Each structure stands twice: as structure tokens, then as C-alpha cells.
Amino acid sequence: MEELQLFPAAAQQSTQVIFFHPGEARLPEVFKYVSQVRERGIVTELFTEDIKQDKQYKYAEKRGIPFIAYVEDNAPDTIFIKNIPLKQRFTIKPEELADFAF
């Protein structure tokens, strides 16, 4: 199938962004963010298990995912984004997510 180029382009791309699992209370909110980024054609995952962030971070590093995004309970209406390769951290409002350069 690869030789005939029958795979969709998105299937050949690796994940660019992973959203950490926020806990059950904020999961619907983060689902919206994941959908919003996917609508831009950016391959995005949501970590499915509610485990410590350091384990989620190690997963992202191991998979070579360049961006992680997460929310914190003590910071409503805020999304934290980290560019792992460049070691840059960004703090944005949800309305800025549509224009963020992943």
C-alpha cells in the first residue's frame, strides 16, 4: 500500500501535539481543545490514562512528540504548551489556541 501511496497523508504523519489527561472533571473541556487542533490538520492525541504528568511527559518524549499541552486545576481558562525540543513554555488562553503555531 505504501508503494501505491494508498495511505492518507495524515496516516503517514506522526503526532505533533499530545494533550495530557486533565482528570475526569476537565476532560470534556480538553476534548474540545483536541478537536480544535485536529480541525487545523494537526495530528493530535489525548493521553487516555489519568496518571501523573511526569509519566505522561516521558511518554511524549519517548514517542518524539514535539508539543505537549495541558491544563491545571489552579489555572482556569489557561492552556500550558511546551515545545519539548526547544524547551520553550507558553501560556495561552483557550481562544488563542486556534492561532497557536505548533
Side-chain angles (χ1 to χ4, degrees), residues 16-41:
Q16 294 297 306
V17 184
I18 187 166
F19 278 81
F20 286 174
H21 194 290
E24 294 301 317
R26 294 191 70 183
L27 200 52
E29 172 189 355
V30 173
F31 273 134
K32 286 192 321 187
Y33 301 152
V34 169
S35 295
Q36 187 177 359
V37 175
R38 285 178 177 163
E39 287 173 3
R40 293 175 49 198

PDB file of all heavy atoms in Angstrom, residues 16-41:
ATOM      1  N   GLN A  16       1.957  15.464  16.484  1.00  0.00           N
ATOM      2  CA  GLN A  16       2.637  16.741  16.720  1.00  0.00           C
ATOM      3  C   GLN A  16       2.356  17.299  18.112  1.00  0.00           C
ATOM      4  O   GLN A  16       3.177  18.006  18.674  1.00  0.00           O
ATOM      5  CB  GLN A  16       2.213  17.768  15.665  1.00  0.00           C
ATOM      6  CG  GLN A  16       2.661  17.410  14.275  1.00  0.00           C
ATOM      7  CD  GLN A  16       4.172  17.387  14.167  1.00  0.00           C
ATOM      8  OE1 GLN A  16       4.837  18.347  14.510  1.00  0.00           O
ATOM      9  NE2 GLN A  16       4.720  16.267  13.745  1.00  0.00           N
ATOM     10  N   VAL A  17       1.170  16.992  18.627  1.00  0.00           N
ATOM     11  CA  VAL A  17       0.737  17.542  19.918  1.00  0.00           C
ATOM     12  C   VAL A  17       0.068  16.434  20.722  1.00  0.00           C
ATOM     13  O   VAL A  17      -0.725  15.663  20.168  1.00  0.00           O
ATOM     14  CB  VAL A  17      -0.290  18.687  19.739  1.00  0.00           C
ATOM     15  CG1 VAL A  17      -0.660  19.309  21.079  1.00  0.00           C
ATOM     16  CG2 VAL A  17       0.202  19.736  18.770  1.00  0.00           C
ATOM     17  N   ILE A  18       0.372  16.382  22.010  1.00  0.00           N
ATOM     18  CA  ILE A  18      -0.365  15.498  22.902  1.00  0.00           C
ATOM     19  C   ILE A  18      -0.882  16.329  24.066  1.00  0.00           C
ATOM     20  O   ILE A  18      -0.153  17.133  24.640  1.00  0.00           O
ATOM     21  CB  ILE A  18       0.473  14.303  23.390  1.00  0.00           C
ATOM     22  CG1 ILE A  18      -0.414  13.332  24.177  1.00  0.00           C
ATOM     23  CG2 ILE A  18       1.684  14.752  24.178  1.00  0.00           C
ATOM     24  CD1 ILE A  18       0.195  11.971  24.416  1.00  0.00           C
ATOM     25  N   PHE A  19      -2.158  16.180  24.325  1.00  0.00           N
ATOM     26  CA  PHE A  19      -2.764  16.812  25.494  1.00  0.00           C
ATOM     27  C   PHE A  19      -2.728  15.815  26.633  1.00  0.00           C
ATOM     28  O   PHE A  19      -3.142  14.668  26.474  1.00  0.00           O
ATOM     29  CB  PHE A  19      -4.216  17.217  25.201  1.00  0.00           C
ATOM     30  CG  PHE A  19      -4.347  18.516  24.469  1.00  0.00           C
ATOM     31  CD1 PHE A  19      -4.179  18.571  23.092  1.00  0.00           C
ATOM     32  CD2 PHE A  19      -4.637  19.683  25.148  1.00  0.00           C
ATOM     33  CE1 PHE A  19      -4.299  19.770  22.413  1.00  0.00           C
ATOM     34  CE2 PHE A  19      -4.757  20.884  24.472  1.00  0.00           C
ATOM     35  CZ  PHE A  19      -4.586  20.934  23.105  1.00  0.00           C
ATOM     36  N   PHE A  20      -2.226  16.255  27.762  1.00  0.00           N
ATOM     37  CA  PHE A  20      -2.202  15.399  28.939  1.00  0.00           C
ATOM     38  C   PHE A  20      -3.614  15.203  29.459  1.00  0.00           C
ATOM     39  O   PHE A  20      -4.466  16.084  29.331  1.00  0.00           O
ATOM     40  CB  PHE A  20      -1.354  16.014  30.041  1.00  0.00           C
ATOM     41  CG  PHE A  20       0.134  15.933  29.803  1.00  0.00           C
ATOM     42  CD1 PHE A  20       0.995  16.564  30.667  1.00  0.00           C
ATOM     43  CD2 PHE A  20       0.667  15.237  28.742  1.00  0.00           C
ATOM     44  CE1 PHE A  20       2.362  16.495  30.487  1.00  0.00           C
ATOM     45  CE2 PHE A  20       2.039  15.163  28.546  1.00  0.00           C
ATOM     46  CZ  PHE A  20       2.894  15.800  29.430  1.00  0.00           C
ATOM     47  N   HIS A  21      -3.852  14.056  30.069  1.00  0.00           N
ATOM     48  CA  HIS A  21      -5.149  13.764  30.688  1.00  0.00           C
ATOM     49  C   HIS A  21      -5.335  14.719  31.860  1.00  0.00           C
ATOM     50  O   HIS A  21      -4.493  14.776  32.758  1.00  0.00           O
ATOM     51  CB  HIS A  21      -5.195  12.315  31.156  1.00  0.00           C
ATOM     52  CG  HIS A  21      -6.566  11.848  31.494  1.00  0.00           C
ATOM     53  ND1 HIS A  21      -7.250  12.294  32.596  1.00  0.00           N
ATOM     54  CD2 HIS A  21      -7.385  10.982  30.852  1.00  0.00           C
ATOM     55  CE1 HIS A  21      -8.435  11.707  32.635  1.00  0.00           C
ATOM     56  NE2 HIS A  21      -8.540  10.906  31.577  1.00  0.00           N
ATOM     57  N   PRO A  22      -6.430  15.479  31.876  1.00  0.00           N
ATOM     58  CA  PRO A  22      -6.606  16.502  32.900  1.00  0.00           C
ATOM     59  C   PRO A  22      -7.321  16.033  34.167  1.00  0.00           C
ATOM     60  O   PRO A  22      -7.518  16.806  35.085  1.00  0.00           O
ATOM     61  CB  PRO A  22      -7.475  17.531  32.182  1.00  0.00           C
ATOM     62  CG  PRO A  22      -8.352  16.685  31.316  1.00  0.00           C
ATOM     63  CD  PRO A  22      -7.465  15.550  30.853  1.00  0.00           C
ATOM     64  N   GLY A  23      -7.749  14.775  34.183  1.00  0.00           N
ATOM     65  CA  GLY A  23      -8.639  14.317  35.246  1.00  0.00           C
ATOM     66  C   GLY A  23     -10.062  14.375  34.713  1.00  0.00           C
ATOM     67  O   GLY A  23     -10.367  15.118  33.770  1.00  0.00           O
ATOM     68  N   GLU A  24     -10.925  13.601  35.313  1.00  0.00           N
ATOM     69  CA  GLU A  24     -12.287  13.457  34.794  1.00  0.00           C
ATOM     70  C   GLU A  24     -13.063  14.769  34.731  1.00  0.00           C
ATOM     71  O   GLU A  24     -13.828  15.004  33.805  1.00  0.00           O
ATOM     72  CB  GLU A  24     -13.057  12.430  35.622  1.00  0.00           C
ATOM     73  CG  GLU A  24     -12.504  11.017  35.505  1.00  0.00           C
ATOM     74  CD  GLU A  24     -12.492  10.482  34.087  1.00  0.00           C
ATOM     75  OE1 GLU A  24     -13.477  10.679  33.345  1.00  0.00           O
ATOM     76  OE2 GLU A  24     -11.482   9.859  33.711  1.00  0.00           O
ATOM     77  N   ALA A  25     -12.871  15.640  35.689  1.00  0.00           N
ATOM     78  CA  ALA A  25     -13.658  16.876  35.763  1.00  0.00           C
ATOM     79  C   ALA A  25     -13.437  17.793  34.561  1.00  0.00           C
ATOM     80  O   ALA A  25     -14.365  18.436  34.087  1.00  0.00           O
ATOM     81  CB  ALA A  25     -13.352  17.631  37.063  1.00  0.00           C
ATOM     82  N   ARG A  26     -12.219  17.843  34.041  1.00  0.00           N
ATOM     83  CA  ARG A  26     -11.909  18.766  32.938  1.00  0.00           C
ATOM     84  C   ARG A  26     -11.754  18.060  31.593  1.00  0.00           C
ATOM     85  O   ARG A  26     -11.386  18.686  30.599  1.00  0.00           O
ATOM     86  CB  ARG A  26     -10.659  19.568  33.281  1.00  0.00           C
ATOM     87  CG  ARG A  26     -10.933  20.481  34.483  1.00  0.00           C
ATOM     88  CD  ARG A  26      -9.884  21.472  34.742  1.00  0.00           C
ATOM     89  NE  ARG A  26      -9.831  22.508  33.719  1.00  0.00           N
ATOM     90  CZ  ARG A  26      -8.916  23.469  33.728  1.00  0.00           C
ATOM     91  NH1 ARG A  26      -8.022  23.538  34.680  1.00  0.00           N
ATOM     92  NH2 ARG A  26      -8.910  24.388  32.771  1.00  0.00           N
ATOM     93  N   LEU A  27     -12.063  16.778  31.556  1.00  0.00           N
ATOM     94  CA  LEU A  27     -11.914  16.023  30.321  1.00  0.00           C
ATOM     95  C   LEU A  27     -12.757  16.576  29.162  1.00  0.00           C
ATOM     96  O   LEU A  27     -12.231  16.737  28.054  1.00  0.00           O
ATOM     97  CB  LEU A  27     -12.225  14.548  30.575  1.00  0.00           C
ATOM     98  CG  LEU A  27     -11.704  13.539  29.570  1.00  0.00           C
ATOM     99  CD1 LEU A  27     -10.212  13.708  29.313  1.00  0.00           C
ATOM    100  CD2 LEU A  27     -11.993  12.129  30.049  1.00  0.00           C
ATOM    101  N   PRO A  28     -14.041  16.931  29.374  1.00  0.00           N
ATOM    102  CA  PRO A  28     -14.818  17.489  28.253  1.00  0.00           C
ATOM    103  C   PRO A  28     -14.210  18.773  27.682  1.00  0.00           C
ATOM    104  O   PRO A  28     -14.218  18.987  26.470  1.00  0.00           O
ATOM    105  CB  PRO A  28     -16.190  17.761  28.870  1.00  0.00           C
ATOM    106  CG  PRO A  28     -16.270  16.832  30.039  1.00  0.00           C
ATOM    107  CD  PRO A  28     -14.869  16.726  30.563  1.00  0.00           C
ATOM    108  N   GLU A  29     -13.663  19.601  28.549  1.00  0.00           N
ATOM    109  CA  GLU A  29     -13.010  20.834  28.105  1.00  0.00           C
ATOM    110  C   GLU A  29     -11.809  20.517  27.213  1.00  0.00           C
ATOM    111  O   GLU A  29     -11.640  21.103  26.135  1.00  0.00           O
ATOM    112  CB  GLU A  29     -12.560  21.617  29.342  1.00  0.00           C
ATOM    113  CG  GLU A  29     -11.706  22.819  29.063  1.00  0.00           C
ATOM    114  CD  GLU A  29     -11.130  23.414  30.343  1.00  0.00           C
ATOM    115  OE1 GLU A  29     -11.470  22.963  31.468  1.00  0.00           O
ATOM    116  OE2 GLU A  29     -10.307  24.328  30.209  1.00  0.00           O
ATOM    117  N   VAL A  30     -10.986  19.565  27.630  1.00  0.00           N
ATOM    118  CA  VAL A  30      -9.789  19.224  26.863  1.00  0.00           C
ATOM    119  C   VAL A  30     -10.154  18.518  25.558  1.00  0.00           C
ATOM    120  O   VAL A  30      -9.492  18.715  24.541  1.00  0.00           O
ATOM    121  CB  VAL A  30      -8.806  18.410  27.729  1.00  0.00           C
ATOM    122  CG1 VAL A  30      -7.632  17.902  26.904  1.00  0.00           C
ATOM    123  CG2 VAL A  30      -8.296  19.275  28.874  1.00  0.00           C
ATOM    124  N   PHE A  31     -11.227  17.737  25.551  1.00  0.00           N
ATOM    125  CA  PHE A  31     -11.708  17.153  24.293  1.00  0.00           C
ATOM    126  C   PHE A  31     -11.977  18.245  23.260  1.00  0.00           C
ATOM    127  O   PHE A  31     -11.667  18.090  22.082  1.00  0.00           O
ATOM    128  CB  PHE A  31     -12.991  16.345  24.507  1.00  0.00           C
ATOM    129  CG  PHE A  31     -12.782  14.911  24.887  1.00  0.00           C
ATOM    130  CD1 PHE A  31     -13.509  14.365  25.923  1.00  0.00           C
ATOM    131  CD2 PHE A  31     -11.895  14.092  24.209  1.00  0.00           C
ATOM    132  CE1 PHE A  31     -13.342  13.040  26.292  1.00  0.00           C
ATOM    133  CE2 PHE A  31     -11.720  12.770  24.553  1.00  0.00           C
ATOM    134  CZ  PHE A  31     -12.440  12.239  25.604  1.00  0.00           C
ATOM    135  N   LYS A  32     -12.565  19.350  23.692  1.00  0.00           N
ATOM    136  CA  LYS A  32     -12.819  20.476  22.778  1.00  0.00           C
ATOM    137  C   LYS A  32     -11.510  21.017  22.211  1.00  0.00           C
ATOM    138  O   LYS A  32     -11.419  21.312  21.021  1.00  0.00           O
ATOM    139  CB  LYS A  32     -13.572  21.601  23.483  1.00  0.00           C
ATOM    140  CG  LYS A  32     -15.024  21.324  23.734  1.00  0.00           C
ATOM    141  CD  LYS A  32     -15.810  22.546  24.173  1.00  0.00           C
ATOM    142  CE  LYS A  32     -15.065  23.450  25.116  1.00  0.00           C
ATOM    143  NZ  LYS A  32     -15.853  24.539  25.666  1.00  0.00           N
ATOM    144  N   TYR A  33     -10.509  21.153  23.053  1.00  0.00           N
ATOM    145  CA  TYR A  33      -9.219  21.671  22.591  1.00  0.00           C
ATOM    146  C   TYR A  33      -8.572  20.716  21.588  1.00  0.00           C
ATOM    147  O   TYR A  33      -8.050  21.153  20.560  1.00  0.00           O
ATOM    148  CB  TYR A  33      -8.270  21.910  23.766  1.00  0.00           C
ATOM    149  CG  TYR A  33      -8.773  22.871  24.811  1.00  0.00           C
ATOM    150  CD1 TYR A  33      -8.352  22.761  26.133  1.00  0.00           C
ATOM    151  CD2 TYR A  33      -9.677  23.884  24.509  1.00  0.00           C
ATOM    152  CE1 TYR A  33      -8.796  23.637  27.112  1.00  0.00           C
ATOM    153  CE2 TYR A  33     -10.139  24.760  25.481  1.00  0.00           C
ATOM    154  CZ  TYR A  33      -9.686  24.629  26.779  1.00  0.00           C
ATOM    155  OH  TYR A  33     -10.131  25.496  27.746  1.00  0.00           O
ATOM    156  N   VAL A  34      -8.619  19.431  21.873  1.00  0.00           N
ATOM    157  CA  VAL A  34      -8.050  18.431  20.967  1.00  0.00           C
ATOM    158  C   VAL A  34      -8.749  18.514  19.610  1.00  0.00           C
ATOM    159  O   VAL A  34      -8.097  18.535  18.556  1.00  0.00           O
ATOM    160  CB  VAL A  34      -8.163  17.007  21.568  1.00  0.00           C
ATOM    161  CG1 VAL A  34      -7.819  15.950  20.532  1.00  0.00           C
ATOM    162  CG2 VAL A  34      -7.275  16.868  22.797  1.00  0.00           C
ATOM    163  N   SER A  35     -10.065  18.582  19.625  1.00  0.00           N
ATOM    164  CA  SER A  35     -10.834  18.677  18.373  1.00  0.00           C
ATOM    165  C   SER A  35     -10.480  19.933  17.598  1.00  0.00           C
ATOM    166  O   SER A  35     -10.345  19.897  16.370  1.00  0.00           O
ATOM    167  CB  SER A  35     -12.335  18.659  18.669  1.00  0.00           C
ATOM    168  OG  SER A  35     -12.694  17.428  19.227  1.00  0.00           O
ATOM    169  N   GLN A  36     -10.312  21.024  18.305  1.00  0.00           N
ATOM    170  CA  GLN A  36      -9.986  22.296  17.668  1.00  0.00           C
ATOM    171  C   GLN A  36      -8.628  22.217  16.952  1.00  0.00           C
ATOM    172  O   GLN A  36      -8.490  22.694  15.825  1.00  0.00           O
ATOM    173  CB  GLN A  36      -9.964  23.411  18.721  1.00  0.00           C
ATOM    174  CG  GLN A  36      -9.811  24.789  18.167  1.00  0.00           C
ATOM    175  CD  GLN A  36      -9.871  25.849  19.255  1.00  0.00           C
ATOM    176  OE1 GLN A  36     -10.044  25.551  20.435  1.00  0.00           O
ATOM    177  NE2 GLN A  36      -9.724  27.086  18.869  1.00  0.00           N
ATOM    178  N   VAL A  37      -7.655  21.600  17.579  1.00  0.00           N
ATOM    179  CA  VAL A  37      -6.336  21.464  16.957  1.00  0.00           C
ATOM    180  C   VAL A  37      -6.400  20.483  15.786  1.00  0.00           C
ATOM    181  O   VAL A  37      -5.831  20.731  14.727  1.00  0.00           O
ATOM    182  CB  VAL A  37      -5.283  21.030  18.007  1.00  0.00           C
ATOM    183  CG1 VAL A  37      -3.933  20.771  17.351  1.00  0.00           C
ATOM    184  CG2 VAL A  37      -5.147  22.095  19.101  1.00  0.00           C
ATOM    185  N   ARG A  38      -7.125  19.400  15.939  1.00  0.00           N
ATOM    186  CA  ARG A  38      -7.267  18.424  14.845  1.00  0.00           C
ATOM    187  C   ARG A  38      -7.933  19.036  13.627  1.00  0.00           C
ATOM    188  O   ARG A  38      -7.591  18.696  12.484  1.00  0.00           O
ATOM    189  CB  ARG A  38      -8.067  17.216  15.317  1.00  0.00           C
ATOM    190  CG  ARG A  38      -7.289  16.281  16.205  1.00  0.00           C
ATOM    191  CD  ARG A  38      -8.142  15.139  16.670  1.00  0.00           C
ATOM    192  NE  ARG A  38      -7.367  14.198  17.480  1.00  0.00           N
ATOM    193  CZ  ARG A  38      -7.918  13.298  18.275  1.00  0.00           C
ATOM    194  NH1 ARG A  38      -9.242  13.171  18.346  1.00  0.00           N
ATOM    195  NH2 ARG A  38      -7.158  12.497  18.973  1.00  0.00           N
ATOM    196  N   GLU A  39      -8.887  19.935  13.836  1.00  0.00           N
ATOM    197  CA  GLU A  39      -9.569  20.587  12.717  1.00  0.00           C
ATOM    198  C   GLU A  39      -8.600  21.394  11.866  1.00  0.00           C
ATOM    199  O   GLU A  39      -8.864  21.647  10.691  1.00  0.00           O
ATOM    200  CB  GLU A  39     -10.691  21.493  13.231  1.00  0.00           C
ATOM    201  CG  GLU A  39     -11.890  20.721  13.731  1.00  0.00           C
ATOM    202  CD  GLU A  39     -12.936  21.605  14.410  1.00  0.00           C
ATOM    203  OE1 GLU A  39     -12.767  22.840  14.445  1.00  0.00           O
ATOM    204  OE2 GLU A  39     -13.909  21.027  14.928  1.00  0.00           O
ATOM    205  N   ARG A  40      -7.479  21.774  12.431  1.00  0.00           N
ATOM    206  CA  ARG A  40      -6.455  22.513  11.688  1.00  0.00           C
ATOM    207  C   ARG A  40      -5.535  21.571  10.915  1.00  0.00           C
ATOM    208  O   ARG A  40      -4.594  22.018  10.259  1.00  0.00           O
ATOM    209  CB  ARG A  40      -5.618  23.358  12.655  1.00  0.00           C
ATOM    210  CG  ARG A  40      -6.405  24.469  13.296  1.00  0.00           C
ATOM    211  CD  ARG A  40      -5.620  25.217  14.345  1.00  0.00           C
ATOM    212  NE  ARG A  40      -4.298  25.629  13.890  1.00  0.00           N
ATOM    213  CZ  ARG A  40      -3.323  25.975  14.723  1.00  0.00           C
ATOM    214  NH1 ARG A  40      -3.499  25.944  16.022  1.00  0.00           N
ATOM    215  NH2 ARG A  40      -2.152  26.330  14.245  1.00  0.00           N
ATOM    216  N   GLY A  41      -5.792  20.261  11.013  1.00  0.00           N
ATOM    217  CA  GLY A  41      -4.983  19.288  10.297  1.00  0.00           C
ATOM    218  C   GLY A  41      -3.727  18.877  11.049  1.00  0.00           C
ATOM    219  O   GLY A  41      -2.840  18.257  10.467  1.00  0.00           O
TER     220      GLY A  41
END
